[in-house]
């Protein structure tokens, strides 16, 4: 167990330093100066009412639905290691959780339960609240928490963004195990970030059902940089990573930009592009009927002789 008094002294000393040496110290300073919290206090997370929780869940219905399988999968990986999984909305309200029945009593006492509010304003520096405040993944290990009442808790959190790249919630794995060292937390952190990324992909695909998805080349090679493209090659959606790589926003997407223009795939004029589109249509029709010219002509609504002329024109055998 850590000494609450010495912990508070450490927080005061670090937060009053003229330079914030880390994201944790920056969070401590916010807790003191913006939220007027005192580290020596023993405070539990606030809880919303059942009615308020129902409203929050209704507002995040799509997030909960698209995350359910990932939460189950994540629990299969970390549940037996004495970890609790929480998923919150963008306001830090815990909407869903996973935990082993044998650990539930301890986790509930700590506030790792649905309906709890894990913001910095409510409970000081913590994985969920600080990840939401900084809009980036973070791990808060034991006495990195602001309040003395949380210094036996270690948590790692990743933000979850919706199909427009806007913060939708956060995914957290927490543990009270005393043998959870920095190496263990680093492994958990990577696992949490990957699960959060898969939830984001689920949200993106669900929002643009029927669209074609195109990966955007980026400096980091992130598989999260995706465009949603309609049948006319117009971009109708983009993930946060794609927006950043291509300098896209909602207004530019609403204008209807061809994906080929964004990706600099073609410098040819409109006539050449039209010929390419016609050739592609012929090839698709022939492929679908396994090269049967008569059937392809019927599908395209042209005569067999017309199709032969077009095939000759485009060099299609």
């Amino acid at each position: 167990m850590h000494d609450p008094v010495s912990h508070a002294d450490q927080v005061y000393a670090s937060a009053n330093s003229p330079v914030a040496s880390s994201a944790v110290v920056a969070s401590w300073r916010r807790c003191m100066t913006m939220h007027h919290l005192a580290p020596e206090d023993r405070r539990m997370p606030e809880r919303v009412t059942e009615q308020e929780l129902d409203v929050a869940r209704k507002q995040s219905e799509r997030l909960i639905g698209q995350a359910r399988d990932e939460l189950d999968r994540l629990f299969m990986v970390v549940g037996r290691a004495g970890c609790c999984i929480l998923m919150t909305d963008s306001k830090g309200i815990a909407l869903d959780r996973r935990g082993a029945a044998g650990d539930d009593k301890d986790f509930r006492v700590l506030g790792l339960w649905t309906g709890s509010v894990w913001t910095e304003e409510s409970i000081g520096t913590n994985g969920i609240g600080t990840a939401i405040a900084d809009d980036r993944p973070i791990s808060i290990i034991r006495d990195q928490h602001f309040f003395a009442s949380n210094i036996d808790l270690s948590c790692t959190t990743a933000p979850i963004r919706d199909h427009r790249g806007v913060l939708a919630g956060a995914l957290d794995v927490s543990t009270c195990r005393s043998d959870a060292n920095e190496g263990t937390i680093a492994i958990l952190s990577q696992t949490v970030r990957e699960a959060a990324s898969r939830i984001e992909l689920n949200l993106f695909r669900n929002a643009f059902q029927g669209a074609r998805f195109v990966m955007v080349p980026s400096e980091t090679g992130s598989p999260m940089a995706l465009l949603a493209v309609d049948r006319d090659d117009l971009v109708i959606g983009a993930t946060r990573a794609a927006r950043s790589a291509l300098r896209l926003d909602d207004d530019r997407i609403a204008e209807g930009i061809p994906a080929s223009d964004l990706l600099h795939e073609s410098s040819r004029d409109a006539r050449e592009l039209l010929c390419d589109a016609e050739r592609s249509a012929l090839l698709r029709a022939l492929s679908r009927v396994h090269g049967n010219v008569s059937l392809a002509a019927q599908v395209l609504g042209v005569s067999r002789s017309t199709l032969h002329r077009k095939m000759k024109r485009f060099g299609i055998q």
Side-chain angles (χ1 to χ4, degrees):
M1 294 289 290
H2 298 275
D3 180 6
V5 176
S6 63
H7 170 70
D9 291 342
Q10 177 190 355
V11 173
Y12 282 123
S14 299
N16 289 325
S17 171
V19 179
S21 57
S22 68
V24 171
V25 174
S27 173
W28 287 353
R29 186 175 295 167
R30 285 195 300 268
C31 293
M32 292 173 59
T33 60
M34 293 177 58
H35 307 312
H36 308 292
L37 303 176
E40 65 270 20
D41 289 349
R42 299 190 65 83
R43 181 183 291 198
M44 292 292 104
E46 298 173 1
R47 286 187 57 82
V48 298
T49 65
E50 287 298 323
Q51 183 178 5
E52 290 170 331
L53 179 58
D54 287 342
V55 171
R57 282 175 167 163
K58 185 67 175 177
Q59 292 173 341
S60 297
E61 191 171 19
R62 179 176 292 179
L63 170 62
I64 294 171
Q66 295 302 314
R68 188 172 292 116
D69 289 345
E70 282 302 326
L71 295 186
D72 291 340
R73 194 174 294 115
L74 184 58
F75 181 66
M76 290 290 291
V77 175
V78 305
R80 294 181 180 179
C83 294
C84 173
I85 301 168
L86 278 187
M87 188 184 71
T88 76
D89 63 8
S90 60
K91 299 175 183 176
I93 300 173
L95 305 173
D96 205 353
R97 73 176 296 277
R98 301 289 187 277
D103 299 322
D104 279 353
K105 182 179 179 181
D106 293 334
F107 287 140
R108 187 158 196 166
V109 169
L110 288 167
L112 294 169
W113 210 261
T114 52
S116 295
V117 182
W118 284 91
T119 58
E120 280 190 345
E121 182 179 6
S122 167
I123 197 63
T125 304
N126 69 89
I128 294 168
T130 305
I132 289 174
D134 287 345
D135 195 16
R136 62 177 178 177
I138 196 167
S139 296
I140 303 296
I141 304 173
R142 297 194 187 91
D143 59 1
Q144 292 178 340
H145 285 83
F146 184 80
F147 283 122
S149 50
N150 289 327
I151 57 180
D152 293 314
L153 185 64
S154 295
C155 48
T156 183
T157 313
I160 301 171
R161 299 176 183 89
D162 67 12
H163 63 285
R164 293 174 51 237
V166 177
L167 183 70
L171 180 63
D172 173 82
V173 170
S174 295
T175 181
C176 299
R177 290 184 59 152
S178 59
D179 59 349
N181 54 35
E182 290 188 9
T184 302
I185 298 301
I187 294 171
L188 287 176
S189 176
Q190 180 64 28
T191 304
V192 169
R193 283 182 300 206
E194 290 173 354
S197 293
R198 287 192 293 270
I199 294 171
E200 289 183 5
L201 284 176
N202 290 345
L203 289 168
F204 190 70
R205 291 177 181 134
N206 180 262
F208 300 105
Q209 295 182 43
R212 180 166 58 94
F213 298 103
V214 179
M215 184 176 291
V216 176
S218 63
E219 294 181 359
T220 61
S222 171
M224 293 297 294
L226 294 177
L227 297 176
V229 181
D230 69 10
R231 60 185 298 175
D232 300 316
D233 191 50
L234 298 179
V235 174
I236 56 175
T239 62
R240 186 172 187 263
R243 288 166 183 255
S244 176
L246 299 173
R247 297 180 181 178
L248 278 174
D249 57 24
D250 287 344
D251 291 337
R252 287 198 68 197
I253 292 172
E255 290 172 359
I257 309 172
S260 55
D261 289 2
L262 273 178
L263 301 175
H264 307 292
E265 291 179 341
S266 176
S267 59
R268 291 168 296 172
D269 62 27
R271 184 176 299 177
E272 289 177 304
L273 293 174
L274 185 59
C275 288
D276 279 354
E278 187 176 5
R279 185 176 188 275
S280 296
L282 295 180
L283 286 170
R284 286 194 297 270
L286 286 163
S287 175
R288 287 166 182 155
V289 295
H290 309 290
N292 187 311
V293 177
S294 297
L295 285 177
Q298 291 178 27
V299 170
L300 292 168
V302 299
S303 67
R304 193 172 187 276
S305 59
T306 297
L307 180 54
H308 270 298
R309 285 197 301 272
K310 290 182 178 291
M311 290 171 62
K312 183 177 181 180
R313 175 188 170 195
F314 292 120
I316 299 174
Q317 299 298 320

